Amino acid sequence: KQWYQRRVAITAGGNMVEVVYANAADLAKLSYTGLQEGYYVVGSGDTGAAVTLATIGVGYTLAMMASAFALKRPHPSYKVEGVKLPTTAGSVNNVHTDNMFKLPQFYYLGAVLTCVASGGMGLIGVAKPLMSEVFSGVLPAVVTAGFASSFILMLSCGNLGGRLGWAALSDKLGRRPTFHLFTFGSIGIYAALPTIVNQVIEQQSVASLMLFCGMSVTAISIFGGVYSILPAYESDLFGTKYVGANHGKMLLFSSTAAILGPVTFLSLRDMSEKSAIADLTAKVDPTAFTEKFGSDITMLDQLVETKTVTLAKLMEIAPSGTVDPTPFLYHSSFYSIAGVLGIAALCHSMIRPVDAKWFEKVEAK
């Protein structure tokens, strides 16, 4: 982000081109080698993102097509030795999919999904900038660009592991106790993350950083576990007959979470940044501010909007001993998500068995 604040236009070959100045500190944050300090033409580089995404898209398409063509129904005579098939078609207590929107259990369970998924999707969405902004200044030798990418990989593994591990555990504990563990456990995780961040900043502790990563992975494993267990939980509540259609309706809440989660994290982070800038500006000498930014403090809002004034630049003229607020910008996001998960815990505790009047009538044969 700081590079964009150093963009300038220069004349090259009779034409005006936009360039950005990269110093040694900027280049050290990149995973590339052999780059020299100096000016770089904007838009002339290649990050490899386009080729990477195209390769992933082609690979995904081929895998899905191969799976679709390979998937076949077993022969009617096929039997698995030692396995006794059930004698019934499924649950007799089935809620018709047309009645799902009339049930309070549907909305309570949907609220749980929205809250837990919002936290998970929000954390995944800001994972890389969070790792860089919060920890790279304190542990620059550890938190490199490669480490931030590895953190995303760890979250992905947590997501996958949660879908497998929590599903297996729910078979032992039951769906309702497992969801209680999800909601109450997530509250503790997100509420504790700011304290762990403080420990990393104050003590420059790699152990606390690893604890932060571990708890983040646990939070994402819960996010994945919710999605893997949800269809079975719906079957317990609403029956197995229409579980496909009922689950499709439940995913409406997932779409809501996909928007709310990242937006909540980023909005709260931006609010914290503006508040921190205002606090820092109040500590800065007005004359130094004017010399640094070419405008007086009364123009602060406009300078912030244009990214002329940033926390990093204010720290350059802040009084000695001033604490950099950058690592603490996500505290409000973590606490807010913990509060939202408190709502999830409350909603889940209100789920009761469905009233028998909503079950389809079973005709006697």
Side-chain angles (χ1 to χ4, degrees):
K1 188 171 84 172
Q2 295 177 2
W3 289 25
Y4 288 95
Q5 297 157 8
R6 295 198 293 272
R7 283 189 174 189
V8 295
I10 64 173
T11 302
N15 298 319
M16 294 294 292
V17 295
E18 191 177 14
V19 299
V20 61
Y21 182 79
N23 58 32
D26 296 324
L27 297 176
K29 299 177 183 178
L30 301 179
S31 57
Y32 307 105
T33 58
L35 298 178
Q36 297 181 354
E37 183 175 349
Y39 289 96
Y40 288 82
V41 178
V42 174
S44 62
D46 182 10
T47 63
V51 175
T52 301
L53 292 174
T55 303
I56 293 174
V58 171
Y60 180 81
T61 301
L62 292 176
M64 294 299 292
M65 293 295 292
S67 299
F69 284 113
L71 190 62
K72 306 291 183 183
R73 284 181 176 272
H75 192 274
S77 62
Y78 176 77
K79 294 182 180 180
V80 180
E81 295 184 3
V83 176
K84 184 178 180 180
L85 298 177
T87 57
T88 61
S91 172
V92 295
N93 295 329
N94 298 298
V95 178
H96 194 279
T97 188
D98 291 342
N99 292 324
M100 286 296 292
F101 292 124
K102 303 175 183 178
L103 300 178
Q105 290 87 346
F106 173 77
Y107 295 101
Y108 290 147
L109 191 58
V112 174
L113 173 60
T114 301
C115 295
V116 176
S118 292
M121 292 182 182
L123 182 55
I124 292 173
V126 303
K128 191 168 185 177
L130 181 153
M131 185 58 60
S132 299
E133 291 180 344
V134 174
F135 301 116
S136 63
V138 181
L139 299 170
V142 177
V143 184
T144 60
F147 184 89
S149 299
S150 298
F151 178 59
I152 298 176
L153 179 60
M154 286 188 282
L155 296 182
S156 299
C157 292
N159 186 9
L160 176 60
R163 291 172 187 264
L164 300 175
W166 288 115
L169 183 62
S170 73
D171 291 337
K172 305 291 184 181
L173 298 180
R175 251 66 75 176
R176 183 177 175 83
T178 303
F179 263 67
H180 276 312
L181 186 60
F182 286 166
T183 53
F184 287 106
S186 294
I187 294 173
I189 290 174
Y190 283 100
L193 288 179
T195 301
I196 299 174
V197 170
N198 293 341
Q199 291 178 350
V200 176
I201 303 304
E202 294 171 1
Q203 304 172 11
Q204 299 184 2
S205 170
V206 176
S208 296
L209 174 62
M210 294 301 106
L211 178 60
F212 178 90
C213 293
M215 294 191 69
S216 298
V217 170
T218 303
I220 297 302
S221 77
I222 291 175
F223 160 76
V226 166
Y227 278 98
S228 69
I229 300 173
L230 189 60
Y233 201 177
E234 293 166 7
S235 297
D236 293 344
L237 290 171
F238 313 121
T240 59
K241 186 176 181 180
Y242 303 103
V243 65
N246 292 342
H247 185 62
K249 289 181 170 63
M250 188 63 68
L251 290 181
L252 292 171
F253 295 99
S254 178
S255 301
T256 303
I259 299 173
L260 288 180
V263 168
T264 299
F265 261 86
L266 292 175
S267 297
L268 291 173
R269 184 245 177 240
D270 289 344
M271 292 172 59
S272 296
E273 181 181 35
K274 291 180 179 179
S275 176
I277 287 176
D279 291 341
L280 264 184
T281 303
K283 300 176 183 179
V284 170
D285 179 62
T287 302
F289 184 94
T290 302
E291 293 177 354
K292 178 72 174 178
F293 302 109
S295 300
D296 57 37
I297 293 179
T298 59
M299 300 293 293
L300 179 63
D301 291 340
Q302 292 87 334
L303 294 173
V304 171
E305 290 297 325
T306 58
K307 302 297 182 181
T308 302
V309 172
T310 64
L311 286 174
K313 290 185 177 181
L314 283 173
M315 286 301 299
E316 295 175 2
I317 58 174
S320 178
T322 301
V323 177
D324 185 358
T326 303
F328 313 110
L329 295 181
Y330 291 92
H331 281 20
S332 60
S333 299
F334 291 136
Y335 286 130
S336 297
I337 292 298
V340 167
L341 288 164
I343 298 175
L346 176 63
C347 289
H348 186 250
S349 66
M350 297 173 67
I351 295 178
R352 297 290 183 270
V354 176
D355 193 311
K357 69 178 182 180
W358 294 109
F359 294 137
E360 284 188 324
K361 305 301 181 182
V362 179
E363 297 181 359
K365 297 183 179 180

